[in-house]
Amino acid sequence: MGLRQLAVTGLLAVAAAAHALVPRQNVNPGPVSGSTFVHDPTIIKTPSGTYLGAYTGDNVQLKTSTDRTVWRDAGPMFPNGAPWTTTYTKGSKNLWAPDLSYLNGRYYLYYSASSFGSSRSAIFLATSTTGASGSWTNQGLVIESFDNSNWNAIDPNLIVDAQGRWWLSFGSFWSGIKMIAINPSTGKRADNQFISLAARPNNGGAVEAPFIIRNGNYYYLWVSFDRCCQGAASTYRIMVGRSTSVTGPYVDKNGTPMVQGGGTQMMSSHGSVHGPGHNAVFRDNDADVLVYHYYNDAGAARLGINLIRYENGWPIIY
C-alpha cells in the first residue's frame, strides 16, 4: 500500500471514529399506520407477542397492534369513568401520561390526574390480568402533590432494578424529576425515600416525563425538555443521561449532572416533526424501541417509533 493510500485510509478511519462519537439526532419516525393519534404514549410487548399501548385521553385510552406498525384503538381503560380523579382534574375526564408494565402475571398501569399548570396532582395505580378495556381495577392513590409542594406528581414511570427492587420516577417542572421506592406486593409507596433525579433550575424548571431503562451496566434516564402541547409550535425535545445506580446521580455525555440541568439531546424538532417528546422505551426481539409523540405540520399529535442501539455506552436512535 502506497503512502497516499495509507494517508487516505488513515483519514477515513479518523472520520469513521469521529462519526461514531456524534449523536444521531433527528431521524424521522419509522413506519406506523392505522390509528396513529397519541399523546404521552407507553407501549409494551405482551406475553402473547402482540403490543399494548396506552396514552393520555379520556379515562386513559388504549391501542393495540399485532406487528408494532399498524395500530387500532382499543377503548378506554375505565369505560365507566374514574370519579376518584376529579379532585385533581377539576372535573375533566382527561387522564395523563400512563405507564404500562407487565409483571408477575399482571398488567400494571400508573397514571396521572391533574390540570394544566397546576401541581395539585396525583398518581394512581390500576391493574389487569388481560389489559383490555374495562378489565382494569383501580388500586388507589400512590402519591399526590399540593399547590405548595414545589414538585408535581405526574408523569410516572416504573423501573425494576437489577436487584429486583421497584422504583417510581415522576415529575414535571417545579423542582424536577423525583423518585420513590415501591413495594412490589402492593405497587404503592414502600417508604419515605424521596430522591431527586433531574432538574432545570436555570430554565424555568422545564423538564418532565422521565423514563428509565437499564442496558448493560447503566441505567438511562430519558426526559423531555421545554414545552409540550402547543401543536406545531411545541419546543419539546428528548434528552438522556446515565448512571450506574438506578437512584443516580445521572449525568450527560459531558459529565453535567442532570440535577443541574444536564442532558444529552437525542431528538428535537426537524422537518415535519415538531416537538417530539414524552418518550417511553420497551425491549423487543430486534432492539430497544423508542416511542414518543410529535406534532405534524397541521398540529396533530402522532405516534413516533424508532429503534435504539447502544454505542460506547450511550443510546443511538435509528
Side-chain angles (χ1 to χ4, degrees), residues 42-240:
T42 175
I43 294 173
I44 61 171
K45 191 169 189 178
T46 70
S48 66
T50 61
Y51 300 89
L52 175 66
Y55 61 101
T56 291
D58 285 357
N59 302 314
V60 181
Q61 293 292 310
L62 303 172
K63 289 187 189 291
T64 58
S65 175
T66 59
D67 60 4
R68 208 174 68 195
T69 299
V70 181
W71 293 88
R72 68 174 187 85
D73 291 327
M77 183 170 74
F78 298 120
N80 297 319
W84 55 88
T85 64
T86 55
T87 298
Y88 308 94
T89 65
K90 299 180 180 178
S92 172
K93 297 186 292 183
N94 194 248
L95 299 175
W96 297 353
D99 178 68
L100 271 169
S101 301
Y102 185 81
L103 297 161
N104 304 328
R106 287 202 298 176
Y107 294 92
Y108 289 75
L109 193 144
Y110 291 89
Y111 61 100
S112 316
S114 187
S115 60
F116 201 78
S118 172
S119 63
R120 182 65 178 119
S121 310
I123 294 168
F124 293 88
L125 170 65
T127 58
S128 168
T129 56
T130 68
S133 173
S135 72
W136 294 87
T137 300
N138 184 55
Q139 302 295 346
L141 180 70
V142 178
I143 190 169
E144 63 180 328
S145 55
F146 298 87
D147 291 331
N148 62 352
S149 291
N150 197 35
W151 51 274
N152 200 3
I154 65 171
D155 294 2
N157 169 242
L158 180 68
I159 172 76
V160 179
D161 71 16
Q163 288 72 46
R165 297 171 300 189
W166 291 26
W167 304 90
L168 192 76
S169 60
F170 58 90
S172 170
F173 283 74
W174 279 271
S175 63
I177 306 304
K178 310 299 181 183
M179 174 177 272
I180 58 175
I182 295 294
N183 183 335
S185 299
T186 64
K188 304 288 189 62
R189 194 169 183 178
D191 55 34
N192 292 323
Q193 291 185 83
F194 197 73
I195 301 161
S196 291
L197 299 182
R200 295 188 77 199
N202 300 320
N203 300 87
V207 57
E208 59 187 7
F211 194 97
I212 299 174
I213 188 166
R214 181 171 64 93
N215 186 76
N217 295 324
Y218 290 104
Y219 295 89
Y220 296 89
L221 171 59
W222 298 76
V223 296
S224 294
F225 276 10
D226 300 331
R227 297 283 175 170
C228 169
C229 313
Q230 298 174 6
S234 298
T235 57
Y236 238 19
R237 50 196 174 109
I238 298 174
M239 316 293 289
V240 75

